[in-house]
Amino acid sequence: MKLRFILNGQAIELEAPPEKRLIDLLREDLHLTGAKEGCGEGECGSCTVLLDDAAVHACLVLAGQIDGHSVTTIEGLGKDGDLDPLQTAFIENMAIQCGYCTPGMIMAARGLLLKNLDPSEAEIRNAISGNICRCAGYTQIIQAIQEAAKAYRKEAQL
Amino acid sequence: MNHTYIGKDMPIENAAAKAMGRLVYCGDMSLPHMAYMKLVLSPVAHGIVRAIHTEKAAAIPGVLAVLTPDNTPAITYDRGRVLANQQAPAQETIFSRHVRFAGDRIAAVVAETPAAALEAAALVEVQIDPLPAAFTPEDALTLEQPIHDKDSVITLPTASCGDFDEEVGELFTHQTSTQRITHVAMENHCALADYDPATRHMTIWTPTQSVFGVRSVVCTVLGLPMNRVRVIKTPMGGSFGCKQEMILEPLVACAAQMLGRPVMLQFDRREVMLCTVLKHPLASQVQAKIDAAHKVKGLRIDVTLDAGAYQSVSPDYAETMAKKFSWVYDIPSIEYRARSVCTNTPVSGSYRGWGGPEVALILENTMNAYAKKQGLDPIDFRLKNILPPFSQGKFISYNLGSLPFREALQAGRARFQWDARKQALASQDRDGRYLKGLGMALSTHTSGYFPRRLDWGRVILKMEEDGTVQINLCVHDHGCGEVTALKSIAAEELRLSPDEIELQEGDTAYNALDNGCYTSRSVYVLGKAVQEASQSLLKELYRYGACLLQAPPEALFHGGGQVFVREEPSRACTYSDIAYYCADHGAGALMIDHNHIPESNPGPVAAHFCQVEVDRLTGQCQVTDYLAVHDVGQAINPASCRSQVASALQQGMGFVFCEKIQLDEKTGRVKNADLQRYHVVRAAELPPLDILFIEQPDEKGPYGAKSLGEACALPVAPALVAAVNDALDMDLTQLPLSPEGILKALSERK
């Protein structure tokens, strides 16, 4: 089917089978390899992207579902070549190890912060409980998300 | 000592690329004309493949080839060996007509697209005549027809010291058994090979722990000369041991050679869980002799490892465990017996710690159970038995370094408020729904291979004309910061910014032969090599700087990419000036070729302390507090060190409470080869983690560093097990301690 959707802020149009998984559409057709596939069943979160403003697992979303919607991937984060506050916070808080879970983790955090700019630690832990990181213990990731939330709040006040 | 980079939190190499999703992992690569491979796996646990029908698969549009045992090499190899002259049980072929577990490789399809490969692989029809199968070592020992013609069961020679029978003391027996688990590295296995028939060059990209190991296996299987096979390590999305063995690389190399074009094999999670490697299921029996003064006088250990369908590294794994029983406590007599038994189950192999966590679990469970039985404080009991500093274990011939067992135990006791907690818990309501317990465990590990062969760090350090530095060293970053640590070491020595140091990872075309990044050796061995090479480069900079500045080398000083005259700092030249001076004056390039061969291997001490709350109604355990005390010598990058410890805790909690690969008892098939049914610990379940680093520099380590990456994985499980047993006043020793298992044990006690 012909898909019309917003990808990282740009309107695009492409032909794809409606049952194609969003993760495959992104990686194979659009060459956006930031979202990773770790389990293929919505358990590990490494393929997390935003569908409109909600964090979703790209392995569980089908191409047909994105028609008329907006998809944001890790590549679409940040403005004018600057890193998004979440990306900066992940780097500065040493919240990155092997990096394989990082794009999904950041997008899950972005989804949370779009709904709640001042999340508690428990809310953060819950929001990323669908994202697995095996190289660390989530502590630095949680700190990074808290720092980023601060930066977003500051930005919102300006 | 004040350092600029050592001991400072540093973001990991490529942090920005990782945060932006721009780092290219193997599965993100694509090459012109790249084809995709999909395996056909045996649904049967043991049998002989009578027929393989490939016609339907071959007819799918886009299918380029179907690989079977009939058109691929039948050469046997061992997935775990690094050098071809290693004694290793070579039981495996690329594809097999004798399938030995549900998941064994029978064939593969290569196609233009992943979808075509997937579709076609499902259409390969296989007829298998089943054979009797065994899913446990006990059953395997009774099989009439062994799983392999040779080496289905390998019994190691008994390792012993002293005389157990002569030791006097109370006999205390204990058993520990563990389950099969998977590593759950977030990046599933992937490999890409390209073969050019015109030049006969093979290039393989893979997130491996040993590029030379890959080359060795590929060359053996395909009969290629080593200098025409180039293996390049790609960024690794976690390993924890699962990317140590050479599993996918021979397959893609074979297909690439057959087709003369690039071929990628990307496993999904199910394939990783079925046909890479898993942690060994293990059963152990311990007899200990402990005298009236509570000194452990003798240990007799009997261990059976379930190797899975192919022996591979399992006998070696079992063998390395012997010495690990001897280097925490001063035990005069030890007897260690082990056997590695093939079963018709997924292959067991390397897992973070390589026997260390198994030994720690068996030994510490025994120590904790004895202390509990005798009403001894487990810390006091250990203080009576620990090896003194600078001891050596019984089965090794080298000094273990400062071994601060006492400091770790005492520091942990104080920081965790062990005695106060113990007192508080003594008065808890034993009939209440929630019961709390305390646990602790002690261990040590390796910092390298010494005195085993194949342990060196060969580094070429070159200074470019602009004063920046390239390090050529065969390093394989697991994703936990080896490259960052090595760059910090060079930066510290040369007083450059780490940004001015470049270090590409393992590449057989440019690196000197290297065993691979195993056994937590990267910082201790390769870090020292980098440190020494940097010091040599500095000498060269002083030597030529002295010519440029017309001052004696001993009058010089360096910093900020410059060499100065110490007494007259305005007389200075940049590293770049020196590099151009060398080029212009016939001295050639500024380059150091250094070989560091370690002569030491200190044991990094770890003591962990925890509190667990058990819900007697549901059997659920919650870890409420955790302290990890680690003797790291010197934390090169404390942020990475903390991540390592945190990762060890979450993986250890999974091992103890919830992770288990379940096999169907009748078919031997894995019942939960996915992350929906295989549970790992999530962010919301982790306790607050307190970490204390003991930093007493090792004499030989780079800036005094010892290893950490595996050491921190050792004490987690026994500490947690002890806390659960303390809470329940039980002695549960069969992992995992699942809610169902705990409820069953509680109901049986009633």
Side-chain angles (χ1 to χ4, degrees):
Chain A
M1 70 184 276
K2 180 157 282 199
L3 295 173
R4 290 187 188 86
F5 64 104
I6 310 287
L7 177 64
N8 295 332
Q10 303 260 321
I12 64 163
E13 225 181 82
L14 62 85
E15 193 67 40
E19 72 279 10
K20 187 158 191 166
R21 302 183 312 163
L22 176 56
I23 180 76
D24 297 329
L25 191 78
L26 292 171
R27 293 180 56 89
E28 292 171 12
D29 300 10
L30 297 160
H31 307 291
L32 294 173
T33 56
K36 313 293 183 197
E37 181 169 349
C39 69
E41 53 181 3
E43 288 291 329
C44 79
S46 55
C47 66
T48 307
V49 299
L50 296 181
L51 180 57
D52 299 327
D53 279 348
V56 295
H57 295 123
C59 68
L60 296 183
V61 174
L62 300 180
Q65 293 172 270
I66 64 167
D67 189 39
H69 292 271
S70 155
V71 173
T72 310
T73 69
I74 189 75
E75 291 89 348
L77 229 50
K79 271 182 263 174
D80 311 322
D82 287 339
L83 293 178
D84 183 270
L86 269 165
Q87 292 169 317
T88 307
F90 267 66
I91 297 168
E92 289 178 355
N93 285 273
M94 323 287 158
I96 303 170
Q97 288 279 294
C98 85
Y100 206 79
C101 73
T102 306
M105 198 69 82
I106 289 177
M107 296 314 286
R110 186 75 194 104
L112 168 70
L113 298 183
L114 280 169
K115 284 187 294 192
N116 178 359
L117 263 187
D118 194 6
S120 67
E121 186 186 323
E123 285 168 329
I124 295 175
R125 279 186 190 269
N126 279 329
I128 59 167
S129 267
N131 292 70
I132 302 174
C133 157
R134 294 284 278 179
C135 298
Y138 303 98
T139 310
Q140 286 106 323
I141 291 172
I142 292 162
Q143 276 166 8
I145 296 171
Q146 286 167 332
E147 293 278 318
K150 259 188 239 164
Y152 277 117
R153 289 200 298 272
K154 209 170 156 192
E155 211 171 271
Q157 279 163 8
L158 291 177
Chain B
M1 179 113 176
N2 254 341
H3 299 306
T4 310
Y5 303 111
I6 301 300
K8 303 291 184 326
D9 287 348
M10 304 286 288
I12 202 142
E13 176 77 357
N14 293 323
K18 288 173 174 176
M20 295 163 81
R22 294 187 64 94
L23 189 68
V24 178
Y25 297 82
C26 189
D28 301 332
M29 293 181 69
S30 64
L31 295 175
H33 310 295
M34 187 168 93
Y36 300 84
M37 187 177 211
K38 186 77 184 173
L39 300 184
V40 178
L41 304 176
S42 173
V44 168
H46 198 194
I48 300 295
V49 177
R50 182 157 34 89
I52 305 174
H53 300 293
T54 62
E55 303 78 9
K56 283 183 195 163
I60 296 293
V63 168
L64 301 164
V66 183
L67 283 68
T68 69
D70 301 329
N71 60 8
T72 53
I75 290 169
T76 55
Y77 62 96
D78 172 41
R79 61 172 69 189
R81 73 120 203 263
V82 174
L83 293 190
N85 63 356
Q86 259 169 270
Q87 293 282 325
Q91 296 178 322
E92 185 171 358
T93 53
I94 288 187
F95 298 106
S96 179
R97 277 194 176 268
H98 182 172
V99 290
R100 295 177 171 93
F101 71 103
D104 213 351
R105 301 182 302 261
I106 296 173
V109 172
V110 182
E112 299 279 2
T113 65
L118 182 71
E119 187 186 354
L123 293 174
V124 174
E125 288 170 15
V126 178
Q127 285 166 331
I128 302 173
D129 294 330
L131 290 168
F135 308 133
T136 63
E138 301 79 66
D139 289 348
L141 292 169
T142 64
L143 274 183
E144 272 182 36
Q145 190 186 342
I147 294 168
H148 297 277
D149 297 338
K150 212 175 96 184
D151 291 337
S152 284
V153 178
I154 293 182
T155 302
L156 301 182
T158 302
S160 69
C161 61
D163 187 341
F164 182 85
D165 290 321
E166 288 296 309
E167 294 294 346
V168 177
E170 187 198 349
L171 190 67
F172 180 73
T173 61
H174 204 255
Q175 305 175 354
T176 290
S177 65
T178 65
Q179 75 281 29
R180 186 178 270 114
I181 63 172
T182 177
H183 309 67
V184 197
M186 292 319 299
E187 179 200 26
N188 291 328
H189 293 64
C190 182
L192 167 62
D194 189 14
Y195 183 74
D196 182 347
T199 61
R200 292 180 293 139
H201 275 85
M202 175 80 76
T203 309
I204 300 168
W205 291 266
T206 170
T208 179
Q209 287 181 235
S210 176
V211 287
F212 287 98
V214 170
R215 190 181 72 171
S216 168
V217 169
V218 167
C219 290
T220 294
V221 174
L222 300 181
L224 294 167
M226 286 183 168
N227 61 354
R228 293 232 178 97
V229 176
R230 179 178 178 192
V231 182
I232 301 170
K233 191 252 173 202
T234 54
M236 186 183 279
S239 173
F240 319 114
C242 77
K243 288 161 185 157
Q244 170 158 347
E245 279 90 335
M246 328 323 163
I247 302 166
L248 286 71
E249 298 90 348
L251 313 179
V252 282
C254 177
Q257 188 186 35
M258 194 182 265
L259 292 167
R261 61 189 278 184
V263 177
M264 176 183 278
L265 176 57
Q266 167 75 67
F267 271 4
D268 60 23
R269 183 62 60 186
R270 176 178 163 273
E271 290 163 325
V272 171
M273 291 166 90
L274 287 182
C275 53
T276 59
V277 288
L278 302 173
K279 186 178 175 82
H280 296 85
L282 162 156
S284 69
Q285 307 271 349
V286 177
Q287 294 182 326
K289 278 191 183 165
I290 302 167
D291 73 9
H294 305 306
K295 295 272 288 176
V296 183
K297 306 302 285 184
L299 265 187
R300 180 178 271 160
I301 311 117
D302 196 305
V303 169
T304 301
L305 285 182
D306 183 338
Y310 297 93
Q311 286 284 3
S312 184
V313 302
S314 295
D316 197 13
Y317 205 91
E319 198 244 304
T320 65
M321 286 170 65
K323 63 174 185 261
K324 297 175 183 177
F325 279 103
S326 79
W327 63 26
V328 178
Y329 304 111
D330 193 2
I331 305 171
S333 297
I334 303 177
E335 259 179 47
Y336 172 76
R337 290 186 181 80
R339 59 186 169 180
S340 171
V341 182
C342 283
T343 58
N344 296 111
T345 65
V347 184
S348 302
S350 302
Y351 202 102
R352 186 178 190 179
W354 245 72
E358 287 85 344
V359 169
L361 187 65
I362 295 168
L363 185 57
E364 294 301 277
N365 275 358
T366 306
M367 295 294 283
N368 283 326
Y370 179 80
K372 189 157 169 297
K373 181 175 166 243
Q374 295 291 327
L376 297 172
D377 180 274
I379 300 176
D380 291 337
F381 178 42
R382 283 173 174 83
L383 285 168
K384 286 178 204 284
N385 283 286
I386 46 178
L387 277 175
F390 301 99
S391 301
Q392 60 187 49
K394 301 290 174 190
F395 300 114
I396 56 173
S397 55
Y398 60 93
N399 189 296
L400 288 162
S402 63
L403 287 185
F405 288 125
R406 184 169 298 279
E407 289 88 333
L409 288 170
Q410 286 169 342
R413 171 176 238 157
R415 184 146 165 150
F416 199 64
Q417 299 182 300
W418 175 269
D419 297 301
R421 282 177 192 266
K422 208 165 99 175
Q423 208 177 358
L425 294 192
S427 57
Q428 69 178 316
D429 176 10
R430 307 276 336 159
D431 297 321
R433 175 172 168 184
Y434 299 99
L435 287 174
K436 296 184 173 77
L438 294 178
M440 57 83 51
L442 184 69
S443 62
T444 187
H445 193 61
T446 58
S447 289
Y449 271 119
F450 175 83
R452 280 176 85 150
R453 66 193 199 125
L454 280 173
D455 202 19
W456 62 76
R458 185 71 179 257
V459 55
I460 290 174
L461 198 63
K462 59 177 180 138
M463 177 152 280
E464 311 295 11
E465 317 86 277
D466 62 355
T468 60
V469 171
Q470 291 266 10
I471 303 176
N472 171 335
L473 172 72
C474 192
V475 61
H476 309 74
D477 198 312
H478 299 61
C480 57
E482 288 94 329
V483 168
T484 312
L486 298 175
K487 284 171 73 166
S488 290
I489 289 168
E492 191 72 47
E493 286 297 331
L494 296 165
R495 296 190 194 143
L496 286 171
S497 145
D499 270 352
E500 293 170 284
I501 317 276
E502 197 55 44
L503 201 182
Q504 300 297 328
E505 296 184 56
D507 183 337
T508 57
Y510 299 109
N511 297 145
L513 178 65
D514 176 273
N515 195 29
C517 288
Y518 310 143
T519 196
S520 296
R521 67 187 274 272
S522 299
V523 163
Y524 192 77
V525 179
L526 302 182
K528 188 68 179 179
V530 167
Q531 186 182 27
E532 289 174 350
S534 303
Q535 289 162 349
S536 299
L537 179 62
L538 257 188
K539 271 193 196 148
E540 291 289 281
L541 288 167
Y542 274 41
R543 181 176 155 206
Y544 294 109
C547 303
L548 248 176
L549 298 171
Q550 297 187 325
E554 49 286 2
L556 300 180
F557 189 64
H558 71 285
Q562 291 188 313
V563 172
F564 310 88
V565 178
R566 192 188 293 271
E567 302 295 331
E568 206 183 328
S570 59
R571 277 172 69 195
C573 61
T574 64
Y575 289 175
S576 174
D577 293 335
I578 299 171
Y580 280 115
Y581 175 85
C582 288
D584 290 343
H585 290 78
L590 268 177
M591 190 165 106
I592 300 297
D593 177 1
H594 179 70
N595 196 19
H596 166 64
I597 299 175
E599 289 174 352
S600 54
N601 188 358
V605 165
H608 287 195
F609 305 82
C610 64
Q611 183 164 325
V612 170
E613 185 178 81
V614 187
D615 183 342
R616 292 201 303 162
L617 193 67
T618 64
Q620 295 275 359
C621 298
Q622 193 193 346
V623 185
T624 55
D625 300 274
Y626 204 98
L627 167 67
V629 181
H630 277 279
D631 151 45
V632 289
Q634 161 75 54
I636 301 286
N637 182 357
S640 282
C641 293
R642 289 193 297 272
S643 290
Q644 290 275 15
V645 177
S647 135
L649 172 59
Q650 65 140 316
Q651 291 178 10
M653 282 174 62
F655 178 43
V656 170
F657 296 120
C658 55
E659 294 187 33
K660 183 180 184 180
I661 294 277
Q662 293 170 333
L663 300 184
D664 184 284
E665 284 173 23
K666 290 204 178 74
T667 63
R669 288 184 200 157
V670 175
K671 292 199 290 186
N672 58 341
D674 56 68
L675 293 179
Q676 253 174 32
R677 289 172 296 177
Y678 183 95
H679 297 143
V680 297
V681 172
R682 304 285 179 144
E685 299 162 89
L686 286 163
L689 167 61
D690 185 19
I691 301 170
L692 176 66
F693 292 126
I694 296 178
E695 294 185 301
Q696 298 173 352
D698 179 75
E699 197 191 330
K700 304 272 178 61
Y703 293 96
K706 302 180 190 178
S707 84
L708 175 66
E710 292 175 298
C712 54
L714 271 58
V716 182
L720 294 172
V721 168
V724 173
N725 284 326
D726 184 45
L728 297 174
D729 193 21
M730 283 191 170
D731 186 24
L732 304 175
T733 59
Q734 195 174 352
L735 293 191
L737 304 181
S738 63
E740 309 81 64
I742 285 174
L743 289 180
K744 185 162 168 274
L746 282 169
S747 76
E748 281 166 4
R749 182 163 69 176
K750 280 178 194 155

